[in-house]
Amino acid sequence: MDAPALPIRRSRRQLVEAVRERPFLIVTGETGSGKSTQLPRYLYEAGLAEHGAIGVTQPRRVATVSVAQRVAEEMGCALGALVGYQVRFDDCTSEDTAIRYMTDGCLLRQILTDPLLSKYSVIVLDEAHERSLSTDILFGLLKKLFLQKQPAGRRTEMKVVVMSATLEVEKLSEFFGHCPVLHIPGRSYPVKEIFCNLLSPRDVGSSAYVTEAVKVTLDVHLNEPEGDILVFLTGQNEIERACDLLFKKAESIDYRYEVHDRAVEGLLILPLYGSMSTDQQKRIFLPAPRGIRKCVVSTNIAATSLTIEGVRYVVDSGFVKQLNHNPRVSLDILEVVPISKSEAKQRAGRAGRTSAGKSFGLYSREFWEQCMPEHTLPEIRRSSLTSVILTLKCLSVHDVIRFPYLDPPEERHILEALKELYQCNAIDRRGHVTRLGEFLVQFPLPPKLSCAVIKAASLGCEDLLLPIAAMLSVENVFIRPGDPQKQKEAELQHQELASQVGGCNDFATLLNIFEQCKASESPSAWCKEYWIHWRAVKSAFSVERQLREITTKLKQLPDFPKETFEGSRTEILRRCLCAGYFINVARRSAARTFCTMDGHGSIVYIHPSSTLYNQETLLEWIIFHEVAVTSKIYVRTVCPVRYEWLRELLPRLHQLDAHELSSVARE
Ligand code: ADP
């Protein structure tokens, strides 16, 4: 298949020359102009991959796979041959792969083993406007790499191309030594933006936007001329719910519908979110059959990462699910928050790709003015820095405060990350990475979880922790159907999975699901029976194998710790969890509330999805994996523990004062 006639085609020669001439180049252009799919191919065809591969990073996993697939198709080769992709826990590349699409996090990890990136002749940082944490760190690392004049060990000069939809081009150019900027002229049609006035500032925090989005979508379907619809919602659950509602509503307005194909007469409903299988994702690019309107219900991924042709109508919920660091509890929290105004414009623009379009924002003007910020804050300014600071320290970047950040994070966030690394024993009092820190960084997991895994491995019982780590690394495994009757049924089955484990706790439930499913004759049928997402468990199986490989390698090192401990299976499991999660510890303070012990003393509740919900009075100390905030702070994936297991660990929470910390940062 040949590449389509995209706007970028006219700039081909200019692009190739610009990359040849200078070490850094910035390329901007409308979403959909062909940057991600065409530019790497142009560079390859111009011979720029002769001394190493062309590495293209994307902040999102789905986009990485989807774009690689597309380019392989266009170039007529098998995926994983000339064109391949690499994302966390899934490597589809080979020796011959000259164009490697990968997530930015993957490239960051590669720098750990190959600091000069000697495998690559060109690095393309795509979707730079998203300002993901890993891309921001890569900006700084690549800049540093070039500042060390002619780094020894590289045969040829490496080229860096930064691609962005729009945004802060001058700032970026200045950051990379006033490098040239090439703009790809795009084409787009006018989009009429309509305020539907269905959400007011009072609706922040409520989930009313799901049903409102469904109503507006059906309205558009019934009243507007032909053209596909793109609905922006927040996450997998909300999207599945909206799709279910769309079927139901469509049914009640007397539409024939086929559940298998998810097609209502006249309306083809397709969900799109990060954790979908690639086959499902491919369907969103196919044109709908004649006379049928395609309706894609998506997360933010369709705003810039993936371009769906034929969309004339956008329904914008005005919300996005975002990982934010919450200083109140000192934890990262996945929150549903209003999008920024520039994000809303980008979403609306998706309606004007093929002809003039309309965008229906559910919100009111008041909401727009009061709740939506001008721009989205870069991730580095709002999320936990623990993992990246450990990575930087392992790369011998000791002064993590004066690292060349495009937008420096707040110093207190850096200090908080250092404190957590110190608490985990990943760095010492002088800020140097410890041996444990070097082990921890090997795992593509949050440091707390890696700590628990390493503890288990040192006791020779990684079989208990690896499945849990894998289950926590994939999307939610529990199916929560929208229908109340089915929901009850699912809840009963989920409870059964919990009660079969001795000493009930949510981590053990995950282990139980993993083990039972693996042992069953037909894992997919088993999952169906227990209302568990088979696809998620299947990916957990593969993640577990990869984590096991890392563990096995580490265990062969002569200085890997070895310990012994006598106790029951559940006790060992819970003690291993303590080794990492003692930082997330809370003690019961009243009938149903717990108080965190990290110095913040936040009051938290056990989330209703936990097997320990309603058993609070029986518990005293708990540790937890994550936090969700609505009107209250909820902790999710919870395990009861004993004080005696924590006694030695808790003092670490209160060591290092502010003065010591800032010297740790600069050492
Ligand atoms: P940009 O990077 O400038 O946003 P892309 O290169 O991603 O642009 O997209 C160019 C075109 O390729 C778009 O029309 C898009 O719909 C199409 N495209 C990208 N990925 C796929 C895919 N997996 N299947 C079908 N079409 C795709």
Side-chain angles (χ1 to χ4, degrees), residues 6 56 81 119 208 214 254 259 365 431 433 447 499 540 579 600 627 643 645:
L6 292 161
V56 191
K119 237 188 357 207
V214 169
D254 201 21
V259 177
R365 191 165 280 282
V433 180
S499 60
H600 290 262
V627 169
Y643 175 70
W645 304 339

Side-chain angles (χ1 to χ4, degrees), residues 1 4 6 8 29-39 58 63 65-71 73-74 126-127 163 165 184 187 281-282 285-286 304-309 350 353:
M1 186 175 46
L6 292 161
I8 197 172
E30 259 291 313
T31 302
S33 52
K35 299 183 295 299
S36 318
T37 50
Q38 309 305 313
L39 181 111
Q58 295 275 336
V65 180
S66 159
V67 174
Q69 230 166 20
R70 171 72 174 182
V71 176
E73 260 168 43
E74 285 182 2
D126 198 2
E127 306 281 334
M163 303 206 287
I184 298 169
R187 43 151 201 241
Q281 278 161 34
K282 269 181 141 168
F285 290 107
L286 301 175
T304 61
S305 308
L306 297 177
T307 303
I308 307 157
E309 301 295 342
R350 306 297 82 221
R353 284 276 302 159

Side-chain angles (χ1 to χ4, degrees), residues 380-621:
I380 199 164
R381 303 289 308 263
R382 59 178 158 81
S383 71
S384 156
L385 303 171
T386 316
S387 290
V388 290
I389 298 282
L390 180 59
T391 307
L392 286 179
K393 288 259 173 193
C394 285
L395 287 169
S396 310
V397 177
H398 294 304
D399 189 341
V400 286
I401 289 182
R402 268 175 298 171
F403 178 75
Y405 297 103
L406 182 61
D407 273 311
E410 279 181 57
E411 193 166 314
R412 66 188 172 98
H413 279 173
I414 299 181
L415 297 183
E416 221 171 73
L418 287 166
K419 189 167 169 187
E420 186 173 329
L421 290 172
Y422 174 77
Q423 289 168 344
C424 292
N425 204 7
I427 57 172
D428 62 21
R429 269 182 178 274
R430 291 175 306 147
H432 293 179
V433 180
T434 61
R435 193 67 181 131
L436 179 63
E438 288 170 0
F439 296 146
L440 289 178
V441 85
Q442 303 299 319
F443 289 95
L445 298 172
K448 292 185 193 97
L449 189 50
S450 319
C451 265
V453 169
I454 288 179
K455 180 75 176 177
S458 72
L459 289 167
C461 51
E462 59 271 24
D463 288 355
L464 292 178
L465 251 295
L466 291 174
I468 293 175
M471 293 288 269
L472 290 172
S473 302
V474 298
E475 84 251 40
N476 182 14
V477 296
F478 297 99
I479 299 177
R480 304 204 194 281
D483 180 89
Q485 182 62 38
K486 286 188 183 151
Q487 201 171 348
K488 240 186 214 129
E489 219 174 286
E491 266 169 25
L492 281 176
Q493 293 293 62
H494 292 163
Q495 269 165 23
E496 194 175 317
L497 288 168
S499 60
Q500 290 169 6
V501 191
C504 139
N505 79 66
D506 296 319
F507 294 88
T509 304
L510 293 176
L511 175 62
N512 190 35
I513 293 170
F514 186 98
E515 288 180 337
Q516 281 204 36
C517 184
K518 193 145 216 183
S520 73
E521 253 170 49
S522 161
S524 62
W526 184 91
C527 285
K528 206 165 166 196
E529 186 187 339
Y530 284 97
W531 295 85
I532 297 292
H533 285 291
W534 162 230
R535 206 164 23 81
V537 182
K538 198 160 86 179
S539 13
F541 288 167
S542 141
V543 172
E544 194 255 1
R545 274 194 299 277
Q546 296 174 54
L547 293 175
R548 189 173 289 273
E549 273 171 31
I550 302 174
T551 313
T552 310
K553 266 195 210 136
L554 287 181
K555 282 181 80 170
Q556 283 161 0
L557 298 172
D559 59 346
F560 190 81
K562 277 198 188 59
E563 296 173 52
T564 49
F565 175 78
E566 296 287 317
S568 69
R569 207 169 116 95
T570 47
E571 181 170 346
I572 294 177
L573 168 62
R574 292 192 290 161
R575 291 186 82 139
C576 291
L577 288 170
C578 277
Y581 286 99
F582 72 95
I583 297 167
N584 288 1
V585 63
R587 184 182 189 175
R588 196 156 65 83
S589 55
R592 307 196 56 169
T593 60
F594 294 81
C595 178
T596 63
M597 304 304 285
D598 51 3
H600 290 262
S602 318
I603 297 297
V604 299
Y605 291 76
I606 292 183
H607 194 267
S609 66
S610 168
T611 48
L612 297 163
Y613 181 68
N614 274 340
Q615 297 183 36
E616 289 84 348
T617 49
L618 305 174
L619 312 171
E620 181 165 10
W621 294 86

Side-chain angles (χ1 to χ4, degrees), residues 71-316:
V71 176
E73 260 168 43
E74 285 182 2
M75 294 180 73
C77 63
L79 191 60
L82 180 65
V83 182
Y85 69 84
Q86 191 181 357
V87 298
R88 188 169 77 132
F89 300 125
D90 188 6
D91 184 354
C92 181
T93 60
S94 60
E95 287 281 292
D96 309 327
T97 306
I99 304 181
R100 298 172 75 104
Y101 285 92
M102 59 203 147
T103 49
D104 47 11
C106 246
L107 185 64
L108 198 52
R109 298 191 64 76
Q110 284 176 32
I111 297 188
L112 279 172
T113 45
D114 176 13
L116 299 177
L117 290 170
S118 45
K119 237 188 357 207
Y120 298 97
S121 59
V122 185
I123 293 287
V124 183
L125 302 176
D126 198 2
E127 306 281 334
H129 57 267
E130 287 229 359
R131 301 294 309 275
S132 69
L133 180 54
S134 297
T135 293
D136 265 21
I137 297 291
L138 286 167
F139 285 160
L141 286 171
L142 289 172
K143 181 173 170 162
K144 263 177 85 96
L145 193 64
F146 278 87
L147 287 178
Q148 308 163 1
K149 283 181 205 118
Q150 201 56 47
R154 275 198 67 91
R155 273 180 303 156
T156 48
E157 193 192 3
M158 188 171 62
K159 307 288 188 178
V160 176
V161 183
V162 178
M163 303 206 287
S164 164
T166 44
L167 248 98
E168 303 181 297
V169 173
E170 274 159 34
K171 188 164 146 190
L172 255 180
S173 162
E174 194 189 320
F175 183 77
F176 289 114
H178 297 279
C179 73
V181 178
L182 226 152
H183 181 71
I184 298 169
R187 43 151 201 241
S188 55
Y189 297 84
V191 175
K192 188 170 175 203
E193 291 174 47
I194 298 154
F195 286 97
C196 296
N197 285 324
L198 295 167
L199 301 177
S200 73
R202 263 170 297 143
D203 291 303
V204 174
S206 105
S207 59
Y209 63 89
V210 179
T211 41
E212 298 299 352
V214 169
K215 280 187 216 154
V216 173
T217 304
L218 286 168
D219 222 37
V220 171
H221 179 48
L222 294 175
N223 299 310
E224 295 288 342
E226 66 173 14
D228 295 338
I229 310 176
L230 174 59
V231 187
F232 284 105
L233 284 175
T234 47
Q236 177 180 347
N237 284 343
E238 295 79 3
I239 289 169
E240 294 284 356
R241 224 184 102 215
C243 289
D244 282 350
L245 284 170
L246 275 169
F247 293 128
K248 279 231 191 77
K249 290 267 161 79
E251 192 183 26
S252 66
I253 53 169
D254 201 21
Y255 269 80
R256 204 160 40 84
Y257 77 109
E258 260 273 306
V259 177
H260 294 300
D261 257 3
R262 298 215 124 183
V264 180
E265 195 183 27
L267 192 65
L268 177 68
I269 303 162
L270 299 169
L272 172 63
Y273 44 78
S275 54
M276 280 172 49
S277 73
T278 33
D279 282 347
Q280 278 176 304
Q281 278 161 34
K282 269 181 141 168
R283 292 172 46 199
I284 63 144
F285 290 107
L286 301 175
R290 262 178 79 87
I292 294 207
R293 195 199 289 274
K294 184 163 80 175
C295 171
V296 178
V297 188
S298 173
T299 58
N300 222 19
I301 189 160
T304 61
S305 308
L306 297 177
T307 303
I308 307 157
E309 301 295 342
V311 172
R312 281 189 66 192
Y313 306 101
V314 162
V315 177
D316 178 11

